[in-house]
């Protein structure tokens, strides 16, 4: 098929007068418009963007990844396709350890059947009780050799793991997961600056939902010392996840992280939970806790703590442009190219010859019109 009459969003520019040719699920050519044929798809001047990659998504439409079944996984993928997501990491929460292992097993079995599934992100249980947020502190535990070994049996499925670097056993875990090719992200953490640096030296290369559930500068003795937040913003080797919707971070914080990290240092993530896609005042479960959808966001029902988001990646792209004055190609890269690189998906995340034909058609108002995975339409508005 040939996508024509579109504005193609490349990594650093927007190009008009360029056709994108797809064959057998791959982009095989990018050329000047040719004569139309039965295979030509006229996009009527809309944008053509690379498919989005969400590294941190728990659920949608009342379903959670921890349900560990095909129906739940499909419901999650279908909802996020409406927001332009063509690849995602199904993300586990802090629940009983056997449930995490079951979810990883099922993700491994079903990822060939459901092409949007790129693997798993294990968020917890090796996190700080002081920074648990909406995670269930009842199931937080230390990173023992036994539990590390159990997770490493799923190393082909786990692409990313969130660990609080100051917790017991964390450094050994960071070293082992990193050596296995799994991206280690610091998060749900109360770490001091020096603890974060030691984690970096042992393989930590990312932080989870920047500004949320992480330590910031505190006074120690006569001076203020950085927490995980300031360390991440100042360290070029660290890539920052960002839930760029107004419930998690304000416009000034969006602009701050963009100024500190630049386009290459940010990956937009939804951290969407089962409440994404549900109506206002609908209740749902997250890691055994009752949650509710209010004002377009998700909260613990008993105390109002944020419980992930109800957003899609296109919502975050628009928010970065609106609130942080980020150029469109940069905002798109934060939702596509950057997370594809972070997740180890070299064929995803950009429109280029030889890459997978994972594509999103966007209106001038940045609404998702169509979503394609490997050249196959999976969503149409």
């Amino acid at each position: 098929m040939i996508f024509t009459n579109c504005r193609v969003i490349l990594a650093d520019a927007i190009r008009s007068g360029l056709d994108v040719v797809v064959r057998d699920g791959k982009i095989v050519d990018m050329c000047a418009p040719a004569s139309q044929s039965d295979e030509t798809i006229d996009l009527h001047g809309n944008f053509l963007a690379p498919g989005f990659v969400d590294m941190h998504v728990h659920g949608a439409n009342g379903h959670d990844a921890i349900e560990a079944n095909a129906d739940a996984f499909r419901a999650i993928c279908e909802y996020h396709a409406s927001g332009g997501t063509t690849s995602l990491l199904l993300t586990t929460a802090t629940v009983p350890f056997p449930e995490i292992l079951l979810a990883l097993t099922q993700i491994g079995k079903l990822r060939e059947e459901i092409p949007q599934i790129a693997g798993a992100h294990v968020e917890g249980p090796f996190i700080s009780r002081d920074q648990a947020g909406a995670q269930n502190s009842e199931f937080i535990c230390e990173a023992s050799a036994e539990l590390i070994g159990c997770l490493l049996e799923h190393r082909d499925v786990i692409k990313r793991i969130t660990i609080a670097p100051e917790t017991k056993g964390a450094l050994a875990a960071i070293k082992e997961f990193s050596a296995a090719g799994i991206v280690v992200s610091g998060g749900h953490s109360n770490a001091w600056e020096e603890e974060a640096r030691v984690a970096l030296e042992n393989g930590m290369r990312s932080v989870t939902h920047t500004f949320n559930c992480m330590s910031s500068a505190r006074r120690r003795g006569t001076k203020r010392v950085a927490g995980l937040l300031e360390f991440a913003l100042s360290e070029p080797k660290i890539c920052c996840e960002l839930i760029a919707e107004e419930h998690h971070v304000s416009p000034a914080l969006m602009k701050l992280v963009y100024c500190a990290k630049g386009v290459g240092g940010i990956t937009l993530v939804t951290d969407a939970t089962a409440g994404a896609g549900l109506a206002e005042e609908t209740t749902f479960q997250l890691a055994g806790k009752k949650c509710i959808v209010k004002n377009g966001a998700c909260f613990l029902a008993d105390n109002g703590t944020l419980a992930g988001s109800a957003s899609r990646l296109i919502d975050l792209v628009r928010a970065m442009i609106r609130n942080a004055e980020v150029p469109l190609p940069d905002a798109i890269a934060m939702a596509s190219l950057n997370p594809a690189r972070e997740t180890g998906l070299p064929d995803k995340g950009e429109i280029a010859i030889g890459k997978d034909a994972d594509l999103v058609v966007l209106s001038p108002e940045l609404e998702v019109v169509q979503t394609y995975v490997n050249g196959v339409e999976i969503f149409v508005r």
Side-chain angles (χ1 to χ4, degrees):
M1 63 179 70
I2 302 170
F3 294 91
T4 191
N5 189 17
C6 56
R7 290 174 284 172
V8 181
I9 302 177
L10 304 174
D12 56 357
I14 300 173
R15 289 278 305 277
S16 298
L18 196 64
D19 281 3
V20 176
V21 183
V22 172
R23 185 178 298 117
D24 297 327
K26 294 282 188 179
I27 298 169
V28 297
D29 200 5
M30 298 167 65
C31 55
S35 58
Q36 294 196 5
S37 69
D38 291 340
E39 295 180 330
T40 301
I41 300 174
D42 188 340
L43 297 185
H44 305 288
N46 284 321
F47 292 107
L48 185 65
F52 302 154
V53 179
D54 196 340
M55 307 188 304
H56 190 158
V57 52
H58 294 275
N61 276 337
H63 291 281
D64 192 293
I66 211 68
E67 293 174 40
N69 63 66
D71 289 343
F73 293 171
R74 285 197 184 93
I76 294 166
C77 290
E78 287 171 5
Y79 177 75
H80 288 285
S82 73
T85 296
T86 54
S87 297
L88 52 78
L89 297 185
L90 290 169
T91 304
T92 61
T94 303
V95 296
F97 205 76
E99 294 185 24
I100 296 174
L101 298 180
L102 176 59
L104 295 174
T105 298
Q106 291 299 97
I107 292 168
K109 288 180 178 178
L110 293 167
R111 59 182 171 177
E112 294 297 325
E113 184 179 327
I114 307 173
Q116 295 100 303
I117 300 176
H121 174 175
V122 176
E123 186 185 21
F126 310 139
I127 59 175
S128 165
R129 295 181 186 277
D130 295 330
Q131 296 282 1
Q135 299 274 354
N136 196 329
S137 59
E138 178 183 354
F139 303 113
I140 292 173
C141 56
E142 67 179 68
S144 67
E146 179 184 1
L147 296 185
I148 293 169
C150 289
L151 289 176
L152 286 174
E153 291 179 8
H154 298 273
R155 70 185 71 199
D156 62 322
V157 174
I158 302 171
K159 300 290 185 181
R160 187 174 185 83
I161 186 166
T162 293
I163 297 175
E166 77 282 7
T167 56
K168 188 173 181 180
L171 290 181
I174 291 169
K175 187 177 295 185
E176 290 203 47
F177 288 123
S178 179
I182 296 168
V183 175
V184 178
S185 187
H188 287 279
S189 166
N190 221 20
W192 291 94
E193 171 183 338
E194 62 271 16
E195 292 168 323
R197 183 162 302 282
V198 173
L200 176 76
E201 292 167 353
N202 281 272
M204 183 182 76
R205 288 295 180 269
S206 178
V207 291
T208 299
H209 40 55
T210 305
F211 299 110
N212 298 106
C213 295
M214 64 171 57
S215 55
S216 58
R218 295 160 285 177
R219 184 173 296 282
R220 191 172 63 191
T222 60
K223 63 181 178 181
R224 287 202 169 271
V225 179
L228 182 61
L229 169 60
E230 294 82 10
F231 179 81
L233 293 177
S234 66
E235 176 49 61
K237 293 180 181 178
I238 294 291
C239 190
C240 291
E241 279 189 10
L242 186 67
I243 311 171
E245 44 93 271
E246 285 85 347
H247 295 282
H248 279 81
V249 290
S250 71
L253 294 182
M254 295 182 201
K255 186 174 287 189
L256 170 61
V257 71
Y258 182 57
C259 290
K261 304 300 294 186
V263 59
I266 300 169
T267 52
L268 297 180
V269 299
T270 62
D271 194 10
T273 51
L278 298 183
E280 284 285 305
E281 302 296 326
T282 303
T283 59
F284 64 95
Q285 294 286 317
L286 173 65
K289 292 188 172 185
K290 184 179 179 181
C291 302
I292 189 167
V293 180
K294 283 188 177 182
N295 301 318
C298 300
F299 301 90
L300 291 182
D302 61 351
N303 63 13
T305 298
L306 274 168
S309 86
S311 297
R312 305 163 304 160
L313 275 177
I314 188 59
D315 303 320
L316 308 189
V317 168
R318 290 196 296 260
M320 288 299 288
I321 294 168
R322 179 176 64 250
N323 294 321
E325 302 173 8
V326 173
L328 176 57
D330 284 7
I332 294 292
M334 293 173 193
S336 55
L337 180 60
N338 295 355
R341 287 174 174 169
E342 277 278 292
T343 309
L345 301 174
D347 294 331
K348 310 286 187 183
E350 61 180 324
I351 297 177
I353 293 172
K355 303 294 184 180
D356 290 346
D358 293 358
L359 302 165
V360 184
V361 181
L362 301 172
S363 72
E365 297 76 31
L366 300 185
E367 294 288 345
V368 175
V369 178
Q370 293 161 285
T371 305
Y372 293 83
V373 172
N374 296 325
V376 177
E377 185 181 81
I378 62 167
F379 170 80
V380 61
R381 188 172 65 178

